[in-house]
Amino acid sequence: MRVLGIETSCDETGVALYDSEQGLLADALYSQVAMHAEYGGVVPELASRDHILKLIPLIRQVLSEADCDVEGIDAIAYTAGPGLIGALMTGASLATSLAMAWEKPVLGVHHMEGHLLAPMLEAEPPEFPFLALLVSGGHTQLFEVKGLGQYQLLGESLDDAAGEAFDKAAKMLGLDYPGGPLIAKRAEKGTPGRFRFPRPMTDRPGLDLSFSGLKTFTLNTSDKLRDESGALAEQDIDDIALAFQEAVIDTLTIKCRRALEQTGLKTLVIAGGVSANSMLRERLGAMAIKRGAELFYARPQFCTDNGAMIAYAGCQRLLAGQRSGNKIEARPRWPMVELAPV
C-alpha cells in the first residue's frame, strides 16, 4: 500500500509518501520556526495560514520526487490530533477533500502514535513489546507498548512537558525560540558542577514527572547573577544551560530505568523532538546497556514533526482496514490510550 501522509499539528508542514513494501519514497518538510521566533512562540493563526500556503506545493514536490501520480497513491493519512485546532483543520480538510476528489480511502492519525512509530522507519527497527518514552514540546509520557494500538500509560508529566520546559528556560536566559536546541548548544560550553539543579520527583516512587520546579529554579538562579542592566554573562548562560539540561535528562533517565525494572522489558524507544538531544541519547543508551537493554530512536529529521511518521502510522492502520470516511477529524486533545488496537 502506498500512502500519502500529511502533518500539520503545529508549526511544521510535513508531507511524505510511504510504500508498505518499498519503504519511504519521498518526504518534504517546511518549518515555520523563523516566522514564530519573532513572537517567542507559536502563533496559532499564523501557523494555520502558513499550512494553507505550503501544503499543495509540498504535495507536488513529494509526488515529483517519488515519480508518482495520483493513480499511484492508494490512500491518504493526516494528523487528526492532538495539536492546534486550526492547524489540524487545515491538514484534515485538505486530506479529506483530496481523498474525495481522487476516490481514495483516508484516515486521521494520532500525532503521538506517529512519533512513537517513527523509529520503525529506520533500517533496524525495534520489535514489540517495548518501553516508549515520548518526549516533546507538548508531551512527556512513558508507555508500555505491546503492539500497534496496545498502549499502557505508565507515567507522564504532571505539568510542563520536557520540551516546553526547555523553551521556557531558554527564554529566561535570553535565548531565542525554539529553546531546546539552543540550550543544548550552550550546555556544550558549560562548566560541569558549577550549579546543581534538583531532579524533580525522583526521591519518591512512581513514574510520573514534573518540570515546573526546574523553571523556577532556573529563574531564581539566573536572577542572582544578572548585572545592573539585567543581563547575564555568557558563561553564566552556558553554565545554567548545562545544569538545567543535566537535571532534565537525569530525571528522564531515572524514570526510564525504573520503568524498565517495573516492566521487565529489554527494549527502550525514545521519540519526539527532545529525543534528538545527543546527551539524552548518550545517557539513556549507557543506562540501557547496564540493564542489558537496547535503545532505539529515529534519525534527527524524524524526531521532530514530519509527514513520514504520519504516512507510516497511517499505512499500518489502513492495512488493518481502518478508515475515517468523509468525516473531517480534528481533536486538539486526544489521549493515546483511546486508540483501538490493531
Side-chain angles (χ1 to χ4, degrees):
M1 176 177 281
R2 188 169 290 186
V3 179
L4 180 68
I6 296 174
E7 155 63 22
T8 62
S9 66
C10 191
D11 63 337
E12 289 173 314
T13 313
V15 178
L17 192 64
Y18 178 82
D19 189 291
S20 57
E21 295 183 359
Q22 301 178 54
L24 185 63
L25 301 180
D27 73 286
L29 182 71
Y30 179 81
S31 176
Q32 303 174 6
V33 165
M35 176 176 64
H36 296 292
E38 180 181 351
Y39 304 95
V42 178
V43 181
E45 180 61 26
L46 294 180
S48 302
R49 292 180 181 182
D50 210 51
H51 287 313
I52 294 173
L53 295 174
K54 300 300 189 302
L55 272 173
I56 295 298
L58 287 179
I59 291 173
R60 288 173 174 163
Q61 176 184 333
V62 164
L63 294 183
S64 176
E65 290 179 0
D67 193 22
C68 178
D69 56 19
V70 173
E71 295 304 317
I73 298 173
D74 297 308
I76 301 173
Y78 65 89
T79 302
L84 302 175
I85 185 60
L88 291 171
M89 284 296 295
T90 301
S93 299
L94 178 62
T96 305
S97 299
L98 290 177
M100 294 175 65
W102 295 346
E103 298 182 342
K104 309 287 184 181
V106 63
L107 179 67
V109 173
H110 194 289
H111 178 73
M112 295 310 295
E113 182 173 62
H115 274 305
L116 185 147
L117 297 176
M120 299 295 188
L121 293 165
E122 301 304 314
E124 297 183 4
E127 296 182 359
F128 299 116
F130 56 76
L131 175 70
L133 171 64
L134 297 183
V135 57
S136 66
H139 298 79
T140 300
Q141 299 173 312
L142 276 165
F143 285 96
E144 181 176 356
V145 181
K146 296 181 179 180
L148 186 63
Q150 301 177 51
Y151 310 132
Q152 180 183 355
L153 180 64
L154 303 176
E156 62 184 336
S157 177
L158 303 179
D159 39 60
D160 292 350
E164 181 183 4
F166 266 103
D167 288 341
K168 290 180 177 178
K171 190 172 184 178
M172 294 174 192
L173 297 177
L175 303 178
D176 291 334
Y177 172 87
L182 296 178
I183 287 276
K185 186 174 182 179
R186 297 301 295 259
E188 293 176 359
K189 299 180 289 184
T191 306
R194 181 184 175 192
F195 301 111
R196 178 174 173 80
F197 285 19
R199 276 57 173 164
M201 297 184 69
T202 58
D203 59 348
R204 67 190 76 175
L207 297 174
D208 285 331
L209 305 107
S210 171
F211 296 106
S212 62
L214 283 177
K215 294 186 308 179
T216 303
F217 203 92
T218 301
L219 180 63
N220 292 338
T221 302
S222 60
D223 282 349
K224 293 176 182 177
L225 298 170
R226 297 184 189 278
D227 60 23
E228 294 181 357
S229 67
L232 284 168
E234 293 300 310
Q235 190 60 52
D236 289 340
I237 295 174
D238 297 339
D239 295 347
I240 293 173
L242 175 60
F244 175 85
Q245 178 174 257
E246 286 188 326
V248 173
I249 290 175
D250 281 354
T251 300
L252 293 172
T253 302
I254 290 168
K255 296 293 183 173
C256 284
R257 186 188 69 231
R258 288 182 184 175
L260 288 172
E261 294 171 352
Q262 177 178 310
T263 61
L265 294 168
K266 295 299 182 181
T267 303
L268 172 61
V269 170
I270 56 173
V274 182
S275 70
N277 184 288
S278 59
M279 181 183 287
L280 177 63
R281 293 183 175 194
E282 179 183 339
R283 297 280 176 88
L284 285 177
M287 180 275 293
I289 290 174
K290 288 182 179 180
R291 295 205 52 76
E294 192 171 1
L295 176 67
F296 290 84
Y297 44 76
R299 69 198 82 166
Q301 62 264 41
F302 294 147
C303 291
T304 55
D305 297 348
N306 63 87
M309 68 182 192
I310 300 304
Y312 177 85
C315 183
Q316 308 315 303
R317 289 188 172 273
L318 284 158
L319 286 170
Q322 295 186 16
R323 305 287 189 273
S324 292
N326 295 332
K327 179 183 177 182
I328 296 174
E329 295 183 337
R331 299 181 59 178
R333 296 183 183 275
W334 190 4
M336 204 165 71
V337 292
E338 294 181 1
L339 292 175
V342 174

